[in-house]
Amino acid sequence: MLLTVVVGAIIRLYQPVPLTLGAWVFGGLGMFAGLREARRHPHMFRRRALLWLRRAFTGWGPHGIVFALMLLTAFVYGLRAWLGVRLPASDWDGLMYHLVAPSAWVQAGEVGRATEVIWADAYPMGVESLAGWPMVFLGFPDYGILYLLPGYLLAGVALVALARRLGLKRAPALLVGTAFLLTPSVFAQANTYYVDVQSAAFGLAALAVLASMRGAAELSGRPTETVTRSMLVLGFALGAATATKSSNLAVMGVAGCAAIVAVAYLSGRHRLGLWPYFRAAPALIVPIAVIGGYWYLRTWLHYDNPFYPVTMLGFEGLGSVEDVVMNTNVPLELRAMSLPEQLWASWSQPFTDLVTTQVYDVRLGGLGIAWMTFVLPVSVLGILLWIKNSWRKAGVGSLLLLGIAATYGPSLAPWWGRYVLLGYGCLLIFAVYFTARLAEGRSFARVSSAGLRFVLAASVALAVFTGHRHVPITTGDPADKEMFDRTGGLPLERALALTVAPDRAKRVWPWTEFGALDSLPNGTVIAVARGNLQSLLQPLRGTWMQRDLVVVEPPPDVPTLIRELREVHADHVLLDRSEVWDAVRDKLADDPSFTFVTDLGGVAPRYNPPPNGKLFRLEADPDTRR
């Protein structure tokens, strides 16, 4: 993310050689720091590695459930990685704006505007910049998924670290991480370009850094240097979090306040005075400003509002979050309900609907059966037990409560699983914490602890099964589309067969609806208007990004449109149902400068009518032909 901003946006060289040189410089600094640390502590890394290897593969006998869930996690994410790499992207938001932004940067050779759709031009695009790295070097997006999957690992590791800091042993801590990764709202996104898991991962990483500061300072013998390093890592985590989603500004506020308290505590405990503040402040602020702040500054300069298109904190946009984002995304069955009714409808859905699959955009039932059977009730008991014993791990537990508050407090859709993953992970830690404390009791308590863990393991395993009976992939075949409407996806075995089909790139929906574009020559430039309503933009570029997109201003008449198209070197133009085309909509078919090519548009969400696109070819300029 840092290199994308520095090399691609500031230096404006979003190209293979500059990015490679930047990576070498950044990696060289890391190697230098590592070698410097190795000289200070000879053999430390080797001793730690050998100790980890000896412990990693021993002592699993009493923890068969945890080991089985680890194997299941490896299988699920291996499967999702295979689907993501072998099949073209089919997730709605990925095709509408997550992939549109890096594609526009690759086309321009710099991280600049992506005006094809407002979300690609105004939203923070940190995770999208990760997906853009292989696109820069390869020219197509197929391997972008592999650059997003480490975010899932980071989320699991951060939860394990937080659980360990709360006092859990290795097996219960790993139970937390695996149970989180096997939650439907998490694994359902693993072969898509959605960024909710990465958003939660960076927030959880920030909390994990704060939770480890005290112990690290005690063990290092150099508390001032440890505080500075921790603040630097925290700055990177919070910068990445705010570069992923604007909602993480709440997490940044919470973590920033906690960081001030933590530095003050360590400074007083070790009698360091004010010096740690002077060292820690730039280490914390600079990464946040560069990695995260860039995206808001860019939007501010273009739209006079760092949060555009949302009206927020006195900045005027197109409307509130409810108006701009939520109103079109609330499922029809929830729109007339109160919040408690919405929560119940969503949380009970896994118990009442075992037919449809957990699709990538999990709205109802996204936290799975484990949420109601284990996490929610047991986490309440865990929080109460922690409060009783809070003197033992007061700081870590308080951080978890802050994470819950920062997630569920500002959330406009707490019923939507993928929007509350950070808080869900914190609650999961408290739930497993309760079982761990039960296991320290007498026989009945130990049996109860084992029973609760079995309930958790069985619940997440069932979620994995129901979430993979059908995967949210379909083709242009009518029978497959009928099955998708009924079940939410194709049977897993049919989807896997599709991954090895030679024509798989042309058979996956919604690419099937853009097959008419395959006859266009490579290098075709298609123009869309600013303010267009074409929902699926990435397929216009093609599976291999063999076509380019440009944006023109809404034309008042046909001659103006022709002039704009020639200025941007576009040879095709796509009209949709947006009112920006009203002035020329009925005139292009009769104009000799244009030739109708095909109807186009893809399928719009069920909440809106289809775009009804029509593609026209701009004929060569007669003067140029002569």
Side-chain angles (χ1 to χ4, degrees):
M1 290 185 184
L2 177 67
L3 290 173
T4 297
V5 171
V6 173
V7 179
I10 297 176
I11 304 178
R12 296 188 175 278
L13 292 174
Y14 195 63
Q15 299 160 11
V17 173
L19 284 176
T20 301
L21 293 175
W24 275 104
V25 171
F26 197 60
L29 292 174
M31 290 293 295
F32 173 77
L35 291 173
R36 181 169 173 266
E37 190 69 13
R39 289 194 183 96
R40 284 184 175 181
H41 305 282
H43 312 301
M44 178 186 67
F45 295 111
R46 185 180 67 180
R47 286 198 301 268
R48 286 187 176 181
L50 291 175
L51 177 63
W52 185 87
L53 286 173
R54 282 199 300 268
R55 296 182 60 192
F57 300 101
T58 59
W60 288 107
H63 306 293
I65 288 178
V66 178
F67 188 72
L69 289 183
M70 292 173 64
L71 294 178
L72 184 60
T73 302
F75 169 77
V76 166
Y77 284 88
L79 171 63
R80 292 284 174 164
W82 175 260
L83 292 172
V85 170
R86 295 293 295 178
L87 299 177
S90 59
D91 55 296
W92 189 273
D93 285 9
L95 298 177
M96 186 170 68
Y97 65 92
H98 288 307
L99 281 172
V100 170
S103 298
W105 304 339
V106 171
Q107 177 183 327
E110 61 176 312
V111 177
R113 304 295 299 274
T115 53
E116 295 95 326
V117 60
I118 185 61
W119 315 112
D121 199 44
Y123 271 7
M125 289 281 137
V127 172
E128 288 81 354
S129 71
L130 301 180
W133 269 74
M135 296 168 65
V136 174
F137 293 89
L138 302 175
F140 55 88
D142 287 13
Y143 297 102
I145 290 295
L146 299 181
Y147 283 68
L148 303 188
L149 285 176
Y152 294 75
L153 178 62
L154 177 62
V157 169
L159 284 169
V160 171
L162 285 166
R164 294 285 279 165
R165 295 294 178 269
L166 194 62
L168 273 65
K169 295 181 180 179
R170 177 182 59 169
L174 287 169
L175 179 61
V176 172
T178 54
F180 178 85
L181 292 175
L182 296 177
T183 300
S185 276
V186 178
F187 69 70
Q189 300 183 56
N191 60 311
T192 76
Y193 291 88
Y194 277 54
V195 301
D196 304 277
V197 178
Q198 289 82 3
S199 174
F202 296 128
L204 291 168
L207 296 181
V209 172
L210 288 169
S212 67
M213 277 183 59
R214 177 182 175 181
E218 298 286 351
L219 293 173
S220 69
R222 291 173 293 169
T224 300
E225 186 172 326
T226 300
V227 168
T228 303
R229 291 182 179 182
S230 296
M231 289 299 104
L232 182 64
V233 179
L234 179 63
F236 271 91
L238 292 177
T242 53
T244 304
K245 276 198 165 189
S246 300
S247 58
N248 279 328
L249 292 172
V251 178
M252 184 181 71
V254 165
C257 293
I260 294 174
V261 173
V263 173
Y265 171 82
L266 292 173
S267 180
R269 180 179 178 84
H270 297 280
R271 300 178 182 178
L272 302 175
L274 297 177
W275 181 235
Y277 285 99
F278 292 111
R279 291 187 54 167
L284 174 64
I285 294 171
V286 171
I288 295 175
V290 177
I291 300 173
Y294 163 76
W295 303 104
Y296 298 90
L297 178 61
R298 173 201 69 163
T299 304
W300 197 350
L301 293 175
H302 294 157
Y303 297 100
D304 296 325
N305 176 358
F307 313 108
Y308 195 83
V310 174
T311 299
M312 186 183 297
L313 300 179
F315 292 97
E316 289 296 325
L318 300 179
S320 64
V321 177
E322 296 97 323
D323 297 332
V324 177
V325 179
M326 293 308 305
N327 284 347
T328 58
N329 285 297
V330 177
L332 295 175
E333 57 268 37
L334 297 187
R335 293 190 177 185
M337 294 182 180
S338 63
L339 180 57
E341 291 173 329
Q342 291 177 336
L343 293 175
W344 176 253
S346 176
W347 295 351
S348 63
Q349 193 264 357
F351 301 91
T352 59
D353 184 3
L354 296 175
V355 177
T356 57
T357 189
Q358 301 287 356
V359 298
Y360 60 81
D361 188 12
V362 181
R363 303 183 186 190
L364 302 182
L367 300 179
I369 292 177
W371 172 243
M372 292 286 283
T373 59
F374 178 84
V375 179
L376 182 58
V378 182
S379 64
V380 173
L381 298 176
I383 291 173
L384 294 175
L385 183 60
W386 169 80
I387 291 174
K388 179 183 177 183
N389 301 318
S390 60
W391 56 271
R392 299 175 63 181
K393 298 290 182 180
V396 181
S398 299
L399 285 173
L400 295 176
L401 290 179
L402 289 173
I404 296 168
T407 302
Y408 288 94
S411 178
L412 297 173
W415 46 264
W416 199 343
R418 70 182 182 95
Y419 270 20
V420 294
L421 291 178
L422 189 150
Y424 169 78
C426 294
L427 287 170
L428 185 56
I429 293 175
F430 277 120
V432 177
Y433 170 82
F434 180 77
T435 68
R437 291 293 168 261
L438 276 182
E440 297 173 357
R442 298 184 178 181
S443 56
F444 178 75
R446 291 197 297 270
V447 171
S448 300
S449 172
L452 287 173
R453 292 184 187 180
F454 178 79
V455 169
L456 174 61
S459 298
V460 296
L462 180 60
V464 170
F465 172 74
T466 57
H468 288 88
R469 289 173 58 207
H470 297 85
V471 293
I473 293 170
T474 189
T475 70
D477 184 84
D480 287 341
K481 299 187 88 172
E482 180 183 355
M483 177 176 290
F484 185 89
D485 291 337
R486 186 174 69 255
T487 64
L490 289 183
L492 179 59
E493 61 272 17
R494 196 178 304 179
L496 289 174
L498 190 62
T499 64
V500 296
D503 58 345
R504 60 186 180 276
K506 298 180 180 180
R507 290 177 57 190
V508 174
W509 182 93
W511 299 87
T512 53
E513 305 213 12
F514 294 82
L517 298 179
D518 293 342
S519 60
L520 301 180
N522 291 349
T524 293
V525 180
I526 300 175
V528 296
R530 193 182 307 277
N532 71 87
L533 294 177
Q534 173 62 34
S535 301
L536 301 175
L537 286 164
Q538 190 64 20
L540 295 177
R541 282 195 162 93
T543 308
W544 299 90
M545 293 172 58
Q546 65 268 32
R547 297 179 291 271
D548 289 338
L549 292 184
V550 293
V551 179
V552 297
E553 295 298 327
D557 50 49
V558 174
T560 302
L561 173 61
I562 294 174
R563 183 172 65 253
E564 289 185 350
L565 294 177
R566 300 212 188 279
E567 287 176 356
V568 296
H569 307 290
D571 42 41
H572 287 74
V573 60
L574 178 64
L575 276 64
D576 59 24
R577 63 179 173 84
S578 171
E579 61 183 16
V580 300
W581 292 113
D582 287 351
V584 300
R585 185 184 311 279
D586 299 327
K587 301 175 183 177
L588 291 196
D590 299 325
D591 194 292
S593 297
F594 292 93
T595 300
F596 174 74
V597 178
T598 184
D599 292 309
L600 202 63
V603 178
R606 57 178 174 165
Y607 313 110
N608 300 304
N612 292 333
K614 293 184 181 297
L615 186 69
F616 290 87
R617 180 175 62 251
L618 176 65
E619 300 299 337
D621 188 344
D623 295 334
T624 303
R625 285 183 292 189
R626 285 197 297 268

